[in-house]
């Protein structure tokens, strides 16, 4: 904290004629900082029917203490497309709009989660080129959909131990997914 998050601030207070003033009391209160301090946002707070007082308190608390956020589940493939070709970003769209309106940056989480238990069931049934095509289409679609509204993405989650994609498609699949994310 001392070396990375704190710095020295030097103020020179001058009068109307630009002459330095001495022996005056100055109070400084930080309004904003550059360090991204975030929270994982609950999808339930952004359901269209959720208008509870508790939800408003939750959102007010997030606004008060954080300047960055990540969706807890709203951008995961199992949530967005549990049924093939029936894509739903409604909750994530409301989350992105709320973050923008309230001055929070938003990181997308996650494009692909390579562990089979965190993939839509229909994806786990695919093999070979059909699986590769679905992975690249998902990547392209979510990146395009949130372009300009999400600053950065966790493209592949838990990449070191969720290696089933590499096992079935080879090591090149990672590079292909990242290349698709970058070009979208």
């Amino acid at each position: 904290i001392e070396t990375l998050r704190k710095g020295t601030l030097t103020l020179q207070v001058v009068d109307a004629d630009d002459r330095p003033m001495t022996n005056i009391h100055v109070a400084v209160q930080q309004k904003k900082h550059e360090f991204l301090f975030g929270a994982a946002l609950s999808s339930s707070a952004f359901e269209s029917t959720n208008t509870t007082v508790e939800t408003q308190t939750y959102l007010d608390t997030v606004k008060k203490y954080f300047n960055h956020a990540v969706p807890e589940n709203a951008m995961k493939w199992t949530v967005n497309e549990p049924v093939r070709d029936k894509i739903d970003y409604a909750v994530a769209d409301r989350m992105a709009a709320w973050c923008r309106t309230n001055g929070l940056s938003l990181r997308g989480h996650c494009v692909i989660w390579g562990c089979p238990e965190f993939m839509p069931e229909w994806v786990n049934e695919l093999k070979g080129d059909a699986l590769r095509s679905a992975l690249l289409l998902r990547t392209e679609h979510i990146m395009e959909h949130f372009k300009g509204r999400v600053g950065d993405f966790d493209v592949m989650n838990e990449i070191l131990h969720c290696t089933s994609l590499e096992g079935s498609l080879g090591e090149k699949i990672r590079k292909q997914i990242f290349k698709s994310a970058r070009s979208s």
Side-chain angles (χ1 to χ4, degrees), residues 6-181:
K6 288 185 176 181
T8 302
L9 174 68
T10 304
L11 289 176
Q12 181 179 22
V13 181
V14 296
D15 64 17
D17 295 322
D18 208 29
R19 291 186 302 250
M21 298 177 70
T22 59
N23 297 321
I24 58 171
H25 177 77
V26 175
V28 177
Q29 183 175 0
Q30 181 174 317
K31 297 280 189 184
K32 187 177 172 184
H33 57 83
E34 291 182 19
F35 181 79
L36 296 179
F37 191 68
L41 298 177
S42 172
S43 295
S44 64
F46 297 90
E47 294 288 342
S48 62
T49 57
N50 191 341
T51 58
T52 66
V53 172
E54 291 84 5
T55 297
Q56 192 56 54
T57 300
Y58 169 78
L59 295 174
D60 289 345
T61 301
V62 170
K63 281 193 305 193
K64 181 176 181 181
Y65 292 108
F66 301 102
N67 65 356
H68 187 66
V70 61
E72 186 175 46
N73 293 309
M75 289 186 185
K76 291 178 180 169
W77 200 358
T78 55
V79 172
N80 303 142
E81 193 178 8
V83 176
R84 189 174 193 165
D85 298 325
K86 293 190 178 191
I87 300 170
D88 182 3
Y89 293 126
V91 171
D93 286 338
R94 283 191 289 278
M95 194 177 284
W98 181 86
C99 284
R100 174 169 272 171
T101 297
N102 291 285
L104 281 79
S105 57
L106 183 64
R107 184 180 86 229
H109 177 77
C110 60
V111 176
I112 303 291
W113 198 343
C115 292
E117 61 269 28
F118 301 115
M119 293 281 236
E121 287 182 31
W122 64 268
V123 173
N124 289 324
E125 296 170 5
L126 301 174
K127 304 289 182 232
D129 287 339
L131 175 58
R132 182 182 323 279
S133 178
L135 293 164
L136 298 177
L137 185 61
R138 157 66 177 176
T139 303
E140 179 183 312
H141 194 268
I142 194 169
M143 298 300 290
E144 285 291 329
H145 184 83
F146 288 103
K147 186 178 258 179
R149 297 185 294 152
V150 173
D152 57 312
F153 276 88
D154 297 329
V155 176
M156 293 187 77
N157 197 36
E158 300 187 26
I159 197 168
L160 296 178
H161 69 275
C162 290
T163 58
S164 65
L165 296 176
E166 293 82 355
S168 61
L169 297 174
E171 285 291 319
K172 290 183 180 179
I173 190 58
R174 286 183 185 176
K175 186 175 182 177
Q176 290 170 334
I177 290 170
F178 277 93
K179 185 176 179 180
S180 176

